[in-house]
Amino acid sequence: EEEVKERAEQVIKKLPKKLDLDKAMKNHKVEYEQCLNSVLHQEIMRYNNLLSKILSYLKNLIDAVNGDVIMTSDLESFLLKMYDNKTPRQIEKISYPSLKPFSLWVNDFVEKLNFLQKWIDNGMPSSFWIDGFFLINSFLTGVLQNYARKVSKYLYLSNMYL
């Protein structure tokens, strides 16, 4: 239990703070020509939700090991999975698909949050890390919408002069 408690504390230290949705909405407004800003906002909401639930589970686990709260069967299964370096089912149910062991899953999760934070701070990247998205299909749909709107605008303008 103490070993898992230490791991949980290390994970909490490793996780960044929540992504700033208000800043993203201010700096990356949803516009007709830019559907990816909407994708960014949705991804931030998904990742912030996942982050808060993970932090809640980890803090509850630490409290249970300390004897401050009751060790429920749910927390015990979480503890056992962490001990085996497997992603707890409680996280798998609310997360993006991954087959990585828990320690690598946490590293990957932090990288995904950093990817989105760079987008918020520095603007849309020139290239995208596909695996960095919670829902890859939403990103691909946004790209297709941007392309379709650009092409349809071009076709509309070219037809005006025929």
Side-chain angles (χ1 to χ4, degrees):
E1 288 182 351
E2 287 299 317
E3 184 179 327
V4 172
K5 177 185 162 188
E6 288 177 28
R7 286 186 198 171
E9 290 169 343
Q10 289 171 354
V11 170
I12 289 172
K13 287 178 187 173
K14 186 181 270 195
L15 293 175
K17 61 182 174 140
K18 281 188 165 188
L19 300 167
D20 191 348
L21 180 59
D22 291 333
K23 180 178 178 182
M25 293 178 107
K26 180 182 174 192
N27 295 343
H28 306 283
K29 293 180 171 48
V30 177
E31 299 170 345
Y32 180 78
E33 295 84 16
Q34 191 45 268
C35 298
L36 292 180
N37 287 344
S38 177
V39 171
L40 173 63
H41 300 165
Q42 293 168 6
E43 290 291 308
I44 290 170
M45 287 186 275
R46 287 182 192 104
Y47 278 114
N48 280 345
N49 182 45
L50 179 58
L51 179 61
S52 66
K53 288 183 179 176
I54 290 170
L55 287 170
S56 175
Y57 265 109
L58 292 171
K59 288 174 183 174
N60 287 340
L61 180 64
I62 292 168
D63 288 344
V65 170
N66 288 338
D68 297 332
V69 298
I70 295 172
M71 177 71 78
T72 62
S73 60
D74 197 39
L75 285 173
E76 188 175 4
S77 73
F78 195 95
L79 180 138
L80 293 172
K81 287 285 192 173
M82 275 191 70
Y83 181 77
D84 292 336
N85 197 26
K86 295 180 180 175
T87 304
R89 67 172 173 75
Q90 297 89 334
I91 292 176
E92 286 179 336
K93 287 184 348 186
I94 59 173
S95 180
Y96 48 86
S98 177
L99 298 175
K100 295 181 180 185
F102 188 62
S103 58
L104 294 178
W105 184 93
V106 169
N107 292 340
D108 186 57
F109 181 58
V110 169
E111 286 181 40
K112 290 173 189 251
L113 293 170
N114 290 336
F115 165 71
L116 290 177
Q117 188 61 55
K118 286 179 188 171
W119 188 350
I120 293 168
D121 294 340
N122 304 326
M124 188 179 308
S126 56
S127 61
F128 293 92
W129 176 35
I130 290 283
D131 196 39
F133 292 97
F134 198 102
L135 291 178
I136 296 169
N137 285 347
S138 67
F139 167 73
L140 296 174
T141 300
V143 169
L144 287 172
Q145 285 177 339
N146 279 352
Y147 178 76
R149 290 175 180 178
K150 185 176 182 179
V151 169
S152 67
K153 184 177 179 181
Y154 171 75
L155 290 175
Y156 173 75
L157 293 173
S158 65
N159 286 336
M160 284 180 49
Y161 298 108
L162 290 178

